[in-house]
Amino acid sequence: MADRVTVIGWDGSPLTRAATAALSAATLVAGAAHHLALPEVPPNAERIRLGSVDLAARRIAGHRGSAVVLADGDPGFFGVVRTLRAREHGLEVEVVPAVSSVATAFARAGMPWDDAQIVVAHPRTLRRAVNVCRAHHKVAVLTSPGAGPAELALLLDGVHRTFVICEELGTDRERVTVLTSDKAADHAWRDPNVVIVIGSGPDTTAAGAWIAGRRPAYPQGIRGWALPAAAYREAGAERMQESGEGEFPGLRAAQLARLGPRTGDLVWDIGSGSGALAVEAARFGAAVLAVDADPAACARTEAAARAFGVPVQVVRGRAPHVLERLPEPDVVRIGGGGVPVATAVADRRPERIVTHASTRDEAEALGGALAGNGYAVECSLLQSVDLDTAAWTERERSVVFLLSGRRSDLAP
């Protein structure tokens, strides 16, 4: 094992005294081509072009002498330190940090970033990174070849965002470009780059913020989930109303529990009705597409989203036809449309689907459609009785079948 392993972050600034001292004593240096070209790298040191960090770690583990790994930005922030410290390599490292590329990008933009979400976009994670950009007001995307500004823009089709694209930060070729997302796909961008994605929705960061990252919207005096219509009206959604057996809070709570919406997901809410489920899924951090053919329902959903300060994209149209042009969902709630809509949704292969039925025959038909398309189906009969606590008398009763489907090829 190497006698000493030092990881040095590089942000384009002159190396610190500690970094220079570590390099001067190095007998092995690993880094990208521009790192290995630095004049401080000893001419007699073994050099490793850093492609696979795992391969480099194995070489370092077998080296006798002092090893240095050079990396852009802060190597402890989505960087090489995690891989080098992995149990299989057994390396203990000293770190000389630099300013992270995210901090530099926001500095170039002149913006605070304590309220930003930060995601890494690789080809395999690009869709989830895009969903975070849909769901949050401010996102920094650490891109990679094949998952850069152009690809982000193409997957954000129909969603207006502002891109601040910071290319080759800390070098003589540094460039910062501000443009709307619909224009980003028309350009060729240099790697490496960081993209700051700014949404048009409300910035909910308070002056006395105490935690970094996204802050869920909590209108004054309102706490909880699966809220009744009255809570939405109190928050400012004046036109909010529950509209039928598929809207009562108990059913909504059960649907959300089975869907499990989370950051990085795209939720379809088909037949959004009052907009309550779409808004509460967005409050969990998921990106949400709310679909309804009724203009009044679309207006209610938009009003509810404004009241709670969450971005919800409302699509007016009738399912199943409108679904053909929507991006791939992770989880779907079906508020109406019967077997044809359930079948069309199942064809898109989301992880989970929930819906409801007012009769057992309808529930059996929906369950059969989901099971026939490769979903493990569960069904429960939910009954909710609302009591007037002044007289302890029954005020309202709701009975509905809840169906949930989980893709059979996925682990429980």
Side-chain angles (χ1 to χ4, degrees):
M1 184 183 296
D3 301 323
R4 179 182 181 186
V5 181
T6 304
V7 182
I8 298 174
W10 185 73
D11 56 17
S13 304
L15 293 175
T16 64
R17 182 178 301 175
T20 302
L23 263 176
S24 66
T27 54
L28 180 150
V29 179
H34 60 281
H35 298 137
L36 298 178
L38 291 173
E40 292 86 354
V41 175
N44 296 325
E46 179 184 353
R47 301 182 183 213
I48 299 176
R49 181 77 173 268
L50 198 59
S52 166
V53 181
D54 280 306
L55 288 175
R58 288 197 286 271
R59 292 274 299 276
I60 292 168
H63 180 76
R64 294 308 304 266
S66 296
V68 165
V69 180
L70 287 157
D72 286 326
D74 184 346
F77 186 75
F78 289 110
V80 299
V81 171
R82 185 177 302 279
T83 303
L84 294 174
R85 286 180 56 88
R87 182 177 300 175
E88 59 267 27
H89 303 308
L91 297 175
E92 291 294 330
V93 302
E94 300 176 18
V95 179
V96 180
V99 177
S100 74
S101 56
V102 173
T104 302
F106 278 104
R108 297 293 188 268
M111 298 170 60
W113 61 288
D114 54 345
D115 57 336
Q117 297 290 300
I118 302 167
V119 297
V120 177
H122 297 293
R124 67 182 182 276
T125 63
L126 177 60
R127 193 179 67 84
R128 300 191 72 80
V130 169
N131 289 340
V132 175
C133 294
R134 288 174 174 272
H136 299 277
H137 172 76
K138 185 187 293 181
V139 182
V141 184
L142 294 162
T143 66
S144 63
E151 290 81 7
L152 284 171
L154 288 170
L155 288 184
L156 278 170
D157 183 40
V159 179
H160 178 81
R161 293 291 186 266
T162 297
F163 280 12
V164 181
I165 302 171
C166 303
E167 302 169 88
E168 297 186 286
L169 290 168
T171 72
D172 293 338
R173 287 162 52 84
E174 178 179 304
R175 182 172 66 183
V176 178
T177 306
V178 181
L179 76 175
T180 55
S181 53
D182 58 313
K183 302 292 194 302
D186 300 332
H187 298 262
W189 304 99
R190 300 195 300 260
D191 292 315
N193 61 70
V194 178
V195 184
I196 301 174
V197 183
I198 305 297
S200 56
D203 183 351
T204 58
T205 306
W210 61 277
I211 186 170
R214 174 183 180 269
R215 296 167 181 83
Y218 298 109
Q220 185 66 32
I222 296 178
R223 180 185 288 271
W225 302 94
L227 300 170
Y232 284 85
R233 289 193 292 270
E234 289 173 18
E238 300 296 337
R239 301 170 67 178
M240 177 74 174
Q241 61 183 27
E242 292 167 0
S243 54
E245 95 281 339
E247 290 284 351
F248 70 90
L251 174 60
R252 194 186 327 135
Q255 290 173 328
L256 287 166
R258 284 159 176 77
L259 289 176
R262 60 192 179 187
T263 300
D265 283 346
L266 177 61
V267 179
W268 285 0
D269 183 17
I270 303 171
S272 58
S274 69
L277 186 134
V279 166
E280 297 200 15
R283 291 176 67 202
F284 281 114
V288 181
L289 285 176
V291 180
D292 209 296
D294 180 9
C298 292
R300 286 195 296 270
T301 300
E302 290 171 344
R306 283 194 302 271
F308 278 83
V310 293
V312 173
Q313 185 181 355
V314 177
V315 178
R316 182 180 170 187
R318 189 171 299 281
H321 309 294
V322 72
L323 306 181
E324 296 175 359
R325 56 187 174 89
L326 300 185
E328 300 304 311
D330 294 285
V331 296
V332 179
R333 179 259 195 172
I334 303 173
V339 170
V341 173
T343 301
V345 169
D347 285 344
R348 299 294 290 273
R349 313 307 294 160
E351 293 180 27
R352 299 199 174 192
I353 302 170
V354 300
T355 187
H356 67 276
S358 56
T359 67
R360 178 167 176 167
D361 287 346
E362 184 186 0
E364 188 173 346
L366 287 166
L370 294 176
N373 282 277
Y375 282 80
V377 179
E378 296 180 355
C379 184
S380 303
L381 181 65
L382 299 185
Q383 177 173 281
S384 174
V385 180
D386 185 24
L387 298 178
D388 179 354
T389 55
W392 292 99
T393 56
E394 183 176 321
R395 186 159 48 195
E396 186 177 0
R397 181 184 296 263
S398 300
V399 180
V400 68
F401 291 88
L402 168 68
L403 292 102
S404 61
R406 174 180 50 82
R407 254 175 49 195
S408 301
D409 58 322
L410 299 177

